[in-house]
Structure formats: structure tokens, C-alpha cells
Amino acid sequence: MEVKIGLLGCGTVGSGVIELVQKRQDMISRLTGLQPKITHVLVRDPQKPRQVSFIDEQLTTNADDILEDSEIRMVIETIGGIEPARSYILRALQAGKHVITANKDLIAEHGTEILETAEHAGVDVYYEAAVGGAIPLIRPLKESLTANEITDLKGIINGTTNYILSKMTETGADFADVLKEAQELGYAESNPASDVDGLDAGRKLAILASIAFHAKVTLDDVEVTGIRTITAADVAYAHELGAVIKLVAEGTDRDGNLTLQVRPTLVVKDHPLAHVSDAFNALYVRGDAAGDLMFFGRGAGSLPTASAIVGDMIEVLRNLRMDTALRVRQLLLPHKRVRRGQGEPARYYVRLAVNDQPGVFAQIAAIFGQAEVSMETVLQKRSRQNSAEIVIVTHEVGQEQVTKALNALSAVNDVQTIHNVMPVIGGAQ
Amino acid sequence: MEVKIGLLGCGTVGSGVIELVQKRQDMISRLTGLQPKITHVLVRDPQKPRQVSFIDEQLTTNADDILEDSEIRMVIETIGGIEPARSYILRALQAGKHVITANKDLIAEHGTEILETAEHAGVDVYYEAAVGGAIPLIRPLKESLTANEITDLKGIINGTTNYILSKMTETGADFADVLKEAQELGYAESNPASDVDGLDAGRKLAILASIAFHAKVTLDDVEVTGIRTITAADVAYAHELGAVIKLVAEGTDRDGNLTLQVRPTLVVKDHPLAHVSDAFNALYVRGDAAGDLMFFGRGAGSLPTASAIVGDMIEVLRNLRMDTALRVRQLLLPHKRVRRGQGEPARYYVRLAVNDQPGVFAQIAAIFGQAEVSMETVLQKRSRQNSAEIVIVTHEVGQEQVTKALNALSAVNDVQTIHNVMPVIGGAQ
Ligand SMILES: NC(=O)c1ccc[n+]([C@@H]2O[C@H](COP(=O)([O-])OP(=O)(O)OC[C@H]3O[C@@H](n4cnc5c(N)ncnc54)[C@H](OP(=O)(O)O)[C@@H]3O)[C@@H](O)[C@H]2O)c1
Ligand SMILES: NC(=O)c1ccc[n+]([C@@H]2O[C@H](COP(=O)([O-])OP(=O)(O)OC[C@H]3O[C@@H](n4cnc5c(N)ncnc54)[C@H](OP(=O)(O)O)[C@@H]3O)[C@@H](O)[C@H]2O)c1
């Protein structure tokens, strides 16, 4: 039996979906007993040259052709952004269509509305492609690992910043130059804010944390620091310390108290996340029964993302075949609370510029001492006339203590600037 | 609504299942709307002291209490071995009970019989725990990644050998000593053959390959080399070459031609598998759409294994709630063929003992040259009177060529012994 599908959007991801469904037509029918058929493809500009070829009247600019067609059982959204994607998805759900989306912005911001609308309409929403591209993450968290209380998530979940930081590490170039190159190569958007300011990683962390911790988490709950302030100097110091800089997303659940952070992080080279380069993503998960787990793979790209979407499509086909829906529900535990600025104890990297004169370092050491932050490594370099650069790596210490020390430091006259503060992970302790 | 469950076996894994179900009772009910209740637990010796406490008449030595009880909807098998596990599982399936098992020996050897019996009876068999302990592997391969043609599997999937090889690397001790210690600590069985001869890894590879490549694969299809011949000398040479020795399972599908091998392998330290130590397992998967993926986690242990089993239990509860079965079927493609001795081109490590006299090395070099095997690195050491040890690392070469060169070598008078031959993975090329 044929199952009619409407595809919203035919860009990088949408065209990958068309290609993969064509390629796997036969296998999908054998696996599910049903034949998926993408009958309509919504685009803005039907004249645009495309990578894939179309059949019949497939291309349309009118969303109603999909949303009002009662024969269409499944809608795949690959438009991106909030509107009109949100309205289209809500209308599709209300019309009893199952929805698959790769839209992390939308799920992070309007996930609850979408899941509730789906539940009300008795249909399913799948979004494996929204986080980690090809890597199975959502489904393992929602299904395979459900016997666990998940306490920790930690990973690299934004490809653009990982590409930029990898290139900065390789070439020693500064952020702005690498960003420009990445934009020319199509690895970064012309408006890179969402990626380089850490918002994209923050949204993905919100999606993962909602599922793993059974809590309602949105971007507002995530403390986000981007990578704009990372300079070639930080990259060089990291190298001197045997580390690389990565944008790390981290969520913890300690007896119902959640902390959620996206921060540039010094990853010492003995830590597996140090080796996740370029367009790859990786996520660590710690469960109370399973222990530590890691998932690694391509976080984006046309076919990797389509792999996740078509995986979801096969799931919907299996549900249609079985005539079931809402098999896997989201669980929300009411007692979960988000705490800010109270991340797990960690070592911290602090880089600051100070007046180059006697006694300044003693003053800094005294402030760290008062805040009970002890120092593991200190690097000191004269950078220019009357200015010295100091890099401190602390011993493991609570985030609140570091904040206290930094507040005190910034009140000291001889401290010119606190350039960067980052946690350090990995490294024999 | 309560769902009655029978548990066969209450050892390491079974007691973990009882503990985890008790701990997660509330969460499982919220997630599935059903209350799992383990009403009977089959053991051999009811007097044995156990880690977990029992309720009512839970403990039994009579399998009929479970298999003949029509109220029991689900049977979890944690006995291990072929019989009586196989008969119990077949009887349970025929009686319309869903089955969950951690029994890799049984699935590898009698998987087809068991799956066919289940299909015939209209019930499900789940076995996530049989490979990779806590790591979600079976379900991602059967569900998330089904849009892919999977071409490569490569991993460390036996904990005992990985523990032994890790300890040999750390301490420089020889195989026999480390094995003895591992047995005393309970990390290796008193009869270690299944682990150290690579059979356990071979069975797990057969299970994974069946699913990933959609083919009927059993242990007989896997070329298996164990780790008994690995000596402290090999470990030391590996170290000199920047590598560690791991037991690597590898399966490839090239247009329907499968090769399946379990072999000790030199893993250069820049390769992620080099860092999978002790009781951890890891699996690389390459799909034509997804690209490279890696899954990592605990391969065994009471709660990690129970994590996978209770994950499967929740899946069965969801099916019961939806009143469905056989959602996810195994696909068997008839055109797949297993080839032997034709693994992917690789660099090879060869260690041999030769008569310590002029001209021997030239002879060896000539033989390699004739077989078109070129050498990348040669280490040569006088080991004792009239005997020298030569270690050669070749450039990348087909498995058949290496076999040809080795056959020619063993015919040379001055070659005393070919100690070990292993592929090399990782390392900048
Ligand atoms: N790219 C990746 O690797 C990746 C990975 C994971 C998730 N995602 C997510 O997948 C989604 C799609 O990303 P993409 O990279 O494929 O985007 P894209 O290449 O920009 O494609 C967007 C498509 O949507 C169509 N579209 C946009 N606005 C529309 C509107 N108002 N009405 C009708 N059609 C409209 C465009 O039509 P025209 O072709 O006519 O312009 C285009 O075909 C986003 O949510 C993104 O976050 C992407
Ligand atoms: N251990 C792991 O980490 C691990 C990981 C993955 C998969 N597995 C698989 O899980 C299964 C169980 O392993 P395990 O380590 O839990 O084994 P185990 O500790 O030896 O436990 C076996 C249990 O089965 C019972 N049993 C054995 N033969 C029986 C019989 N004929 N009739 C009734 N009961 C019988 C034993 O009863 P008594 O207690 O009375 O002796 C014991 O409770 C195996 O298939 C193994 O391959 C184990």
C-alpha cells in the first residue's frame, strides 16, 4: 500500500530526503510493507535549479496542497525557522497527519505546544534530525535508556563552532578570519549569530535535556557563552597546556536540580571530546544503571540529516502499518528545577591582562586564596609595554567560588582585563 | 494495569534486572501506563544467598511455574548457555509470551529458529543486552539507521579480552599471568575459551552483522583468531610502534559480499578504538547516508546489562499497551555471500624469529617483494643465540597478498617461527 507524504522545503535537507527515499524505496517497502510516496514538495521558488528531479506535479508553492490533502498521512518539515514552519506543523497535526521535522529552533522554542497538539490529535511528531544530525540520540534517550535516571549530558553539538575552533587550532588564525572563510565555504551562515553565540547548541541542549531529565527545558534555562571572545592567544595557551578549545554543552541533574550550560571549554587531549573535529558531533550520557555512554557521528549535512529523517519516516510507516500512534510519550516530572551559575566543580582556565609591575601577581594570588581557589598552573608573559598576560589554571573548584574570585579580581586596579574564563575537562588529576 | 513477568535466572544479570525494576517501578508506570511485576524467578538453588530480596513465592526451581502460567505475558531469560535456555524460550514464545534475552550464544547460534518461532506465534523477541551491554546497538541498527546501507562494522565487543590486553599493556606481563589474575578477580571465566579464543566476539559480530547487513550470519561465517598467542613481546613492539593491541571485530559488506573477522589488531594511538579500555566496548558503524558513527559504553556488568533489558521491557510494555507485536521485523536479503580471507586492504604487523646470519633479511625482503608487499617499518633484535627477531609493518596491502607472502616465508629454512600477524589500524598514512 502506498503512503502519501508531503515534504515542506527542498533545500540541503529536503533534497537529501528525496534522494534517500528514492534510493531506498525497495528496502523501505520490504521493511514496512508500505510504499512511501512523496506526492508534493513545497518550495518558495519553483524555478530554482535543484539537485533532485521531480515527478508529475510534485513541486508547489502552496502549502494547502499538502495541508488540505486528506490523503497525505505524513508531513516532513525541512523549511527551518519559526514561521511559517510552526503554523504548517500545527495545521498538519490538527488534520491528523504525522509530522517529522529537523527544526531544532522550533522544537526548542515551541516543543511543548507541538507535542501537546500532536497528543490531542492522536498523531506523532518525530525529530531525530534536530539534534546531532545522523547520530541516533533522541530515540536512544526516549527508548533504549529509559530504565535509567540520566544524570549527565556532555557534548559537542554545534558543527559550525566546532569547525571554526578546529580551524583556529590547526592554523593559529584568529576567530574573525576563520569565520569569514567558513562563511565563504558555506560552513557558516551569513548571519552566524545563532551558531557562534552558542544559541544553536543551547537549543539542542534544551531538547536533549527535556527528554533525558524528563523536564520542560527551553533555551532560557540554558546559560550560554559563545566563542566570539576566543582568540588565537587562547588557542595557543590551550596548546601549551596540552588542550584544545571546544564549545561544550553540558547538562546535569542532581536530585532534580538541573544546570544547563554551553561554554567554550579547554579539553585536554586525553579526553575523547578533544578528538571530535570539524563537522562531527559527540554526546556523552551518564545513566545510573548504564554508566557512561558516548555517541559520535556527523552532526549535519544533506544525507546524514536525511538518514535521521528517513529513519523517522520508517518508524511512522511501522506505526501506520500497526495502526498505532503515541506509543512513546514524553514524561514531565514536576519537581525538576533549573539552577543558574552552579555548575559541577571543575578546573578553570583564566586569562587576564594586568599592569606589569611588582606585587600584582601577589595581589591576584591573595584574592584566589581568599576565595579558596587554588592554582594548579600559572603562565605569565609580558605582552606589551606595561602590560603582562597571566594565564591561571585552577584546581577543581565550584563555579560559585570562581565567580567570587573573578568579581574580586575585576575590582583590582592593576587588573586591566579578564579576557576569558573557561572550564577545563580531561587531564590526569 | 499489572503485567506479570517471569524471570529465568537470577545471577549477575537477573539480580540486576530485579533491582532496576524495583527502583524504576514508578517511572515505568508513568512512561507506559502499565505496572511490570516479576511474579516468578527461576533458579537452580533456592537456598543460595542472593543480593536481592524476594516477595511471596517468587523463587522457584520449576520452569513450568513460568512457562505454563497463562497470566505471564513476558519472559526474561538470563540463564545463559544453549540448553535449557533455548527450550524455555521456544516454549514461552509458543505460549504467546514476549521474550527478552541477554543470551548472545543462543541468539548467534539459534537466532533464526527463535525469530521464526516468535513470528509464527505473533510475539516479540528483544535482545539488546546480548551485544555491547548497556550500549544501544541493536535498536539503532534495526530502527534509527534503517535508511542506510551499512557497509562497515568495526569494534571492541568482548570485555574479558579487552581487560586482559589492557592489563598486559599496563603491566608488561604475559598473557597467562594476566589471565590467571583476571580469573581470580572474576573478570574471566574459569573456562575462558569462549572469550580468549574470540568466539564470544565472533558470536556478537554475527548478531550485529545479521541485522546491519540483512543477512543470515552465524559464528561459522566469522574468521576468528583469539589472543592466546599475544605475548609481552608483541605488546612491547606495539608500544614501540605507538600502538596498543586490541581484539577487533570487523564486518564489511561490499555489494553483497561480506567479510567477517575477529582478530588481534594493532591500534595506533591516534585511533579512537585505542582508548577503549578495560570493560568498555565500542562499535563503529558506517552507513552510506549517515557516514561514520561510533557507540561507546559499558559492555557488561549487572546494572549496565539490566539497563538494556529493562529498556527492552519498557518496549514490550509499550507494545502491550498498544496491543501490537512484530512491529520491527528482520529483513533477510538473499543475495548476500560470505567471503573468507579477503578482508579490506590494511597495513600488517608481522613478527618472526629467524636464524641470525647474514643474508636472511635479504631473503625475507625478496619474498615480500615478490608478493608485492612493501615494508613501512622494520625492527630487528637479536633475541638469543643464533636467533633474531624481526618485526615488519607493511604498507597497505590486500589480505590475500599477505597470506601469500607468509606462506612463502614459512617455506624458508632460516625462518624459525612466524609468531604473530595482525592488521594495523590508525596512524597517519
Ligand atoms: N543543513 C543541515 O545540515 C541541517 C542539519 C540538521 C538540521 N537542519 C535543519 O533542517 C531545516 C532545513 O535546513 P536546510 O539546511 O535544508 O535549509 P535550506 O537549505 O535553506 O532549505 C530550506 C527550504 O525550505 C524552503 N522554504 C523556506 N521558507 C519557505 C517558505 N516560507 N515557504 C515555502 N518554502 C520555504 C526553501 O525553498 P527554496 O528552495 O525555494 O528557497 C528551501 O527549499 C532547518 O530547520 C535546519 O535547522 C539542517
Ligand atoms: N554478566 C554480564 O555482564 C553479562 C552481560 C551481557 C550478557 N550476559 C548474558 O546474560 C546471561 C546471564 O549471565 P550471568 O552473568 O547473569 O550468569 P550467572 O551469574 O551465571 O547467572 C545464571 C543464573 O541462571 C540460573 N540458572 C542457570 N542454569 C539454570 C537452569 N538449568 N535452571 C534454572 N536456573 C538456572 C542460575 O541459578 P543459581 O543462581 O541458582 O545458580 C543463575 O541464577 C548469559 O547469557 C550471559 O551471556 C551477561
Side-chain angles (χ1 to χ4, degrees):
Chain A
M1 212 185 71
E2 206 171 81
V3 174
K4 293 194 175 160
I5 298 172
L7 177 63
L8 308 177
C10 188
T12 306
V13 176
S15 59
V17 170
I18 295 182
E19 185 184 333
L20 198 54
V21 171
Q22 278 166 359
K23 207 166 161 188
R24 288 294 122 76
Q25 193 74 44
D26 181 51
M27 175 126 92
I28 296 173
S29 318
R30 285 172 188 246
L31 274 169
T32 66
L34 297 172
Q35 283 89 47
K37 188 170 178 201
I38 298 175
T39 56
H40 294 83
V41 180
L42 179 75
V43 294
R44 267 179 312 209
D45 176 4
Q47 308 312 330
K48 214 182 203 171
R50 311 213 173 245
Q51 307 280 1
V52 286
S53 52
F54 297 94
I55 43 165
D56 309 334
E57 312 273 282
Q58 244 181 340
L59 271 193
T60 175
T61 57
N62 182 359
D64 290 351
D65 285 352
I66 293 171
L67 303 174
E68 309 264 293
D69 182 339
S70 65
E71 289 192 352
I72 289 183
R73 305 289 307 272
M74 193 190 319
V75 169
I76 299 175
E77 186 272 312
T78 68
I79 292 175
I82 303 300
E83 284 297 348
R86 175 178 155 275
S87 306
Y88 290 167
I89 285 180
L90 292 176
R91 278 179 60 195
L93 293 171
Q94 281 153 356
K97 303 181 195 313
H98 302 283
V99 168
I100 295 167
T101 174
N103 196 328
K104 53 236 171 182
D105 302 1
L106 186 61
I107 294 293
E109 206 166 314
H110 298 278
T112 307
E113 179 187 26
I114 288 170
L115 292 179
E116 281 173 0
T117 305
E119 179 134 357
H120 194 73
V123 292
D124 280 303
V125 183
Y126 288 93
Y127 47 95
E128 182 65 80
V131 186
I135 317 168
L137 291 179
I138 308 276
R139 209 177 306 187
L141 287 174
K142 278 197 176 175
E143 306 189 29
S144 311
L145 300 172
T146 31
N148 287 269
E149 236 162 54
I150 302 216
T151 56
D152 296 77
L153 298 172
K154 185 183 288 185
I156 294 173
I157 51 179
N158 177 271
T160 305
T161 49
N162 204 44
Y163 175 85
I164 293 173
L165 292 169
S166 296
K167 280 288 161 287
M168 286 174 72
T169 301
E170 275 167 36
T171 63
D174 243 319
F175 172 76
D177 298 330
V178 177
L179 171 62
K180 199 161 151 260
E181 197 197 303
Q183 286 172 320
E184 282 161 13
L185 290 169
Y187 293 132
E189 312 262 332
S190 54
N191 177 357
S194 166
D195 289 314
V196 302
D197 292 335
L199 305 176
D200 178 77
R203 291 194 189 98
K204 289 170 176 168
L205 179 62
I207 294 173
L208 294 173
S210 302
I211 298 168
F213 302 148
H214 304 295
K216 221 183 249 185
V217 175
T218 68
L219 179 60
D220 292 338
D221 298 315
V222 184
E223 298 167 70
V224 171
T225 310
I227 65 165
R228 286 189 204 265
T229 62
I230 306 298
T231 62
D234 291 306
V235 171
Y237 283 119
H239 182 75
E240 206 170 325
L241 295 162
V244 290
I245 299 175
K246 297 280 178 191
L247 185 66
V248 173
E250 186 171 358
T252 59
D253 182 343
R254 300 286 173 264
D255 300 317
N257 296 306
L258 313 185
T259 60
L260 301 153
Q261 303 191 309
V262 171
R263 296 180 287 182
T265 299
L266 251 76
V267 186
V268 181
K269 279 176 192 151
D270 66 355
H271 193 288
L273 287 184
H275 305 281
V276 178
S277 295
D278 299 330
F280 282 92
N281 281 192
L283 184 73
Y284 264 84
V285 177
R286 179 173 290 168
D288 64 346
D292 284 344
L293 298 154
M294 212 255 270
F295 302 82
F296 168 92
R298 294 202 169 267
S302 179
L303 283 178
T305 310
S307 163
I309 290 181
V310 180
D312 281 348
M313 174 195 289
I314 292 170
E315 187 75 2
V316 173
L317 292 173
R318 283 172 169 150
N319 290 342
L320 287 173
R321 177 83 181 173
M322 291 282 130
D323 199 18
T324 60
L326 300 172
R327 263 183 97 246
V328 178
R329 284 159 196 257
Q330 183 112 2
L331 180 62
L332 289 177
L333 298 175
H335 68 280
K336 306 270 171 154
R337 294 282 168 271
V338 175
R339 302 178 310 180
R340 295 189 154 266
Q342 295 177 57
E344 294 293 289
R347 291 146 72 219
Y348 279 88
Y349 162 100
V350 180
R351 177 163 74 91
L352 57 167
V354 301
N355 290 336
D356 190 10
Q357 52 195 46
V360 175
F361 186 74
Q363 230 179 323
I364 294 171
I367 284 174
F368 272 76
Q370 274 155 31
E372 290 179 62
V373 177
S374 69
M375 297 187 238
E376 180 189 286
T377 308
V378 178
L379 307 173
Q380 183 161 358
K381 291 192 184 161
R382 173 147 331 134
S383 59
R384 52 189 153 76
Q385 197 79 41
N386 194 33
S387 182
E389 197 155 71
I390 298 180
V391 169
I392 297 162
V393 177
T394 72
H395 280 290
E396 197 168 272
V397 59
Q399 195 178 354
E400 288 167 299
Q401 271 163 281
V402 172
T403 309
K404 199 172 137 194
L406 293 173
N407 288 343
L409 271 189
S410 54
V412 172
N413 265 338
D414 284 329
V415 171
Q416 297 169 355
T417 329
I418 300 175
H419 284 301
N420 263 313
V421 181
M422 295 182 252
V424 180
I425 62 177
Q429 304 228 334
Chain B
M1 212 184 71
E2 207 169 82
V3 174
K4 293 194 175 158
I5 299 171
L7 177 64
L8 308 177
C10 188
T12 307
V13 175
S15 59
V17 170
I18 295 182
E19 185 184 332
L20 198 54
V21 170
Q22 279 167 0
K23 207 167 162 188
R24 287 294 122 77
Q25 194 75 44
D26 181 51
M27 175 126 93
I28 297 173
S29 320
R30 284 171 188 246
L31 274 169
T32 64
L34 297 172
Q35 283 88 47
K37 190 170 176 199
I38 298 175
T39 57
H40 294 83
V41 180
L42 179 76
V43 293
R44 267 179 310 210
D45 176 5
Q47 308 311 331
K48 213 184 203 172
R50 307 203 177 252
Q51 308 281 357
V52 286
S53 53
F54 298 92
I55 45 166
D56 310 334
E57 313 273 282
Q58 244 181 341
L59 270 193
T60 175
T61 56
N62 182 359
D64 290 351
D65 286 350
I66 293 171
L67 303 173
E68 310 262 293
D69 182 340
S70 64
E71 290 193 350
I72 290 183
R73 306 289 305 274
M74 192 189 318
V75 169
I76 299 174
E77 185 272 312
T78 67
I79 291 175
I82 303 300
E83 284 297 349
R86 173 178 155 276
S87 307
Y88 290 167
I89 286 180
L90 293 175
R91 279 179 60 197
L93 294 170
Q94 282 152 355
K97 304 181 197 309
H98 302 283
V99 168
I100 296 167
T101 174
N103 195 329
K104 54 236 170 183
D105 302 0
L106 186 60
I107 294 293
E109 204 165 316
H110 298 278
T112 308
E113 178 186 29
I114 288 170
L115 293 179
E116 281 172 1
T117 306
E119 180 135 355
H120 193 75
V123 292
D124 281 303
V125 184
Y126 289 94
Y127 48 94
E128 182 66 79
V131 187
I135 316 169
L137 291 180
I138 309 276
R139 209 177 306 186
L141 288 174
K142 278 197 177 178
E143 306 189 29
S144 310
L145 299 172
T146 30
N148 288 269
E149 236 163 54
I150 303 213
T151 56
D152 295 77
L153 299 172
K154 185 184 287 185
I156 294 173
I157 50 179
N158 177 273
T160 303
T161 48
N162 204 44
Y163 175 85
I164 291 173
L165 292 170
S166 296
K167 281 288 161 290
M168 285 174 73
T169 302
E170 274 167 37
T171 62
D174 245 318
F175 171 76
D177 297 331
V178 176
L179 171 62
K180 200 162 150 258
E181 197 197 303
Q183 285 172 319
E184 281 160 15
L185 291 168
Y187 294 130
E189 313 262 332
S190 54
N191 177 358
S194 165
D195 289 313
V196 304
D197 292 334
L199 305 177
D200 179 77
R203 291 194 189 99
K204 289 171 176 167
L205 179 62
I207 294 173
L208 294 173
S210 303
I211 299 167
F213 303 146
H214 305 295
K216 221 181 250 186
V217 175
T218 68
L219 179 60
D220 292 338
D221 298 315
V222 184
E223 297 166 73
V224 171
T225 311
I227 65 165
R228 285 188 203 264
T229 62
I230 307 298
T231 62
D234 292 304
V235 170
Y237 283 119
H239 183 74
E240 205 171 326
L241 295 163
V244 291
I245 299 175
K246 298 280 179 191
L247 185 66
V248 173
E250 185 171 0
T252 59
D253 181 345
R254 302 286 173 261
D255 301 318
N257 295 307
L258 313 186
T259 61
L260 302 152
Q261 302 190 310
V262 171
R263 297 181 286 183
T265 299
L266 251 76
V267 186
V268 182
K269 280 179 191 149
D270 66 355
H271 193 289
L273 288 183
H275 305 281
V276 177
S277 293
D278 299 332
F280 283 92
N281 280 193
L283 184 73
Y284 265 84
V285 178
R286 179 173 291 168
D288 63 346
D292 282 344
L293 298 154
M294 211 255 271
F295 302 82
F296 168 90
R298 293 201 169 269
S302 180
L303 283 178
T305 310
S307 164
I309 290 181
V310 180
D312 281 349
M313 174 195 290
I314 291 171
E315 188 75 3
V316 172
L317 292 173
R318 283 173 169 148
N319 291 342
L320 287 173
R321 177 84 181 173
M322 292 282 130
D323 200 17
T324 60
L326 301 172
R327 265 183 95 245
V328 178
R329 283 160 198 257
Q330 184 113 359
L331 181 61
L332 288 178
L333 298 176
H335 68 281
K336 306 268 171 155
R337 293 281 168 271
V338 175
R339 302 180 308 182
R340 296 190 155 264
Q342 296 178 56
E344 294 294 289
R347 290 145 72 218
Y348 279 87
Y349 162 101
V350 181
R351 178 163 74 91
L352 57 167
V354 300
N355 291 336
D356 190 13
Q357 53 195 45
V360 176
F361 186 73
Q363 229 180 325
I364 293 170
I367 285 175
F368 272 76
Q370 275 154 32
E372 289 181 63
V373 176
S374 70
M375 298 187 236
E376 180 190 284
T377 309
V378 177
L379 307 173
Q380 181 160 0
K381 290 190 184 160
R382 170 147 333 131
S383 60
R384 51 188 157 74
Q385 198 80 41
N386 193 33
S387 181
E389 196 154 69
I390 298 181
V391 169
I392 296 163
V393 177
T394 71
H395 280 290
E396 197 168 274
V397 59
Q399 194 177 354
E400 287 167 299
Q401 272 163 279
V402 172
T403 307
K404 199 172 138 194
L406 293 173
N407 287 344
L409 271 188
S410 54
V412 173
N413 264 338
D414 283 330
V415 171
Q416 297 169 356
T417 330
I418 300 176
H419 284 300
N420 262 313
V421 181
M422 295 182 252
V424 180
I425 62 176
Q429 304 227 337

